[in-house]
Amino acid sequence: MKVVLLSGGGGGARFARGLDGVLAPGELTVIGNVGDDLEILGLHVSPDLDSLLYTLAGLIDLERGWGRAGETWNALESAGAWGGESWFRVGDLDIGLHLVRTQALRDGVPLSEVTEQLAGRAGVQSRILPATDDRLRTKVVTPAGTFPFQEWYVGRGHRDDVDAVEYDGAADATPAPGVLAALAAADAILIAPSNPYLSIGPIVAIQPIRQAIERRGVRCVAVSPLVGGAAVTGPAGRMLSRMAGGATPRHVTDCYVGLIDRLVIDESDFAAEAPVELVMAKTLMSDHEAERRLADVVLETSCA
Ligand code: GDP
């Protein structure tokens, strides 16, 4: 069974690990968000692709939820002491990856190719593809001004309310090689329990990707990032309340009009009416077993 997952780097990466655990090697292709990417200290960082890579390779720091286990921070501390930027946290082990990727990009290797090489070296059996090799950057419009994504998220601790999200470069971006082919060959298309505005929005803002999903011949199933009317982590609940008018399953479906056939929601989020079929499940991924159980339910509902 060939499965394509659209994903961010948090809830998305953990759901990807669940799928990776129940599917056969090579059956899963993850299309990762690049709207969060940034250049810091001269290094190209792709936070969502890295979270996917670290999670699927078993290298992620499980407690922190991002970056590598056993990380140290000497390079960043030194950079800060020398007057460099240190607001965006990159650890020593993490920097090793950023150095290799940045050099490859400067040598003209596309992001998709570098990502594939890195995933191969880490022994990841699922395929991780950036949504695009082109420059696509998320910007957040707030009452305090418009900020590049990481300046708002990390720099300002995502405190400001969000009025709108912009995807700079999306209109001209082309899908990375392999993305449209994977969508065309998929037996099921899945949207991870990721932030609809910040993680999935930038992917489906790339028109050929949106059109491929709109014209799908197979079922597309999303998993809600809400549990009990709130996001499990991060600002999705607040953003849905302010921009969609509420944080219920129906408001999640409003973000995916024309893109999904079913929404898997948590049992604590029962909602009477929604424009697509709602499927109840335990969606809190508290451990690896819960990730795999959720993956099984979602795969089943994508075929049944
Ligand atoms: P980011 O790139 O780090 O923002 O990661 P994602 O967008 O992929 O993931 C963030 C979203 O994952 C948040 O909106 C959370 O509510 C959601 N999330 C995190 N853990 C879980 C979980 O166990 N279950 C569900 N349903 N959603 C989760």
Side-chain angles (χ1 to χ4, degrees):
M1 177 179 192
K2 294 222 171 304
V3 176
V4 171
L5 173 72
L6 274 51
S7 178
R14 289 174 45 220
F15 182 60
R17 181 168 53 195
L19 289 169
D20 184 76
V22 299
L23 289 165
E27 286 189 325
L28 175 65
T29 298
V30 187
I31 300 177
N33 169 41
V34 294
D36 299 3
D37 287 18
L38 75 162
E39 283 256 325
I40 195 84
L41 296 166
L43 303 174
H44 177 105
V45 181
S46 292
D48 283 2
L49 297 180
D50 294 346
S51 289
L52 285 163
L53 176 62
Y54 291 156
T55 302
L56 293 178
L59 298 171
I60 194 103
D61 185 300
L62 291 171
E63 221 153 275
R64 213 183 315 119
W66 57 271
R68 288 197 45 179
E71 187 60 282
T72 52
W73 307 90
N74 296 308
L76 188 70
E77 272 163 28
S78 172
W82 289 106
E85 288 184 284
S86 55
W87 61 273
F88 189 83
R89 311 263 301 148
V90 277
D92 299 331
L93 295 170
D94 202 20
I95 284 173
L97 179 149
H98 304 320
L99 287 168
V100 171
R101 172 173 44 213
T102 303
Q103 183 183 21
L105 292 173
R106 292 211 176 124
D107 290 345
V109 182
L111 181 61
S112 52
E113 210 174 305
V114 190
T115 306
E116 193 150 22
Q117 288 166 1
L118 295 169
R121 284 172 202 149
V124 174
Q125 300 197 332
S126 295
R127 192 167 185 207
I128 305 172
L129 285 173
T132 180
D133 283 335
D134 299 333
R135 187 185 167 82
L136 189 165
R137 294 288 179 273
T138 300
K139 283 202 174 144
V140 179
V141 182
T142 81
T146 299
F147 301 100
F149 174 77
Q150 297 292 359
E151 266 182 60
W152 169 76
Y153 195 83
V154 177
R156 298 175 67 88
H158 52 80
R159 278 186 299 274
D160 318 86
D161 285 329
V162 181
D163 292 315
V165 179
E166 295 170 356
Y167 309 114
D168 272 15
D172 302 318
T174 51
V179 166
L180 293 182
L183 284 168
D187 298 305
I189 302 170
L190 308 178
I191 296 182
S194 290
N195 187 309
Y197 298 103
L198 300 175
S199 295
I200 306 302
I203 302 175
V204 296
I206 301 168
Q207 284 312 307
I209 296 182
R210 170 174 286 275
Q211 283 161 8
I213 300 173
E214 281 172 347
R215 295 172 190 159
R216 65 194 174 278
V218 297
R219 198 169 280 165
C220 180
V221 178
V223 183
S224 169
L226 302 174
V227 174
V232 181
T233 53
R238 267 173 57 211
M239 293 178 74
L240 280 162
S241 295
R242 190 170 168 95
M243 289 196 283
T248 73
R250 183 177 64 76
H251 296 101
V252 175
T253 64
D254 287 349
C255 298
Y256 298 138
V257 173
L259 297 176
I260 61 170
D261 305 293
R262 291 181 176 180
L263 180 71
V264 176
I265 67 170
D266 191 70
E267 289 170 352
S268 61
D269 271 322
F270 177 73
E273 36 127 13
V276 301
E277 192 181 331
L278 300 177
V279 177
M280 317 274 285
K282 287 191 192 330
T283 72
L284 192 63
M285 297 174 285
S286 40
D287 54 27
H288 291 1
E289 191 43 45
E291 293 167 4
R292 283 193 290 269
R293 268 200 311 269
L294 180 59
D296 273 332
V297 170
V298 175
L299 289 172
E300 207 179 297
T301 194
S302 69
C303 304

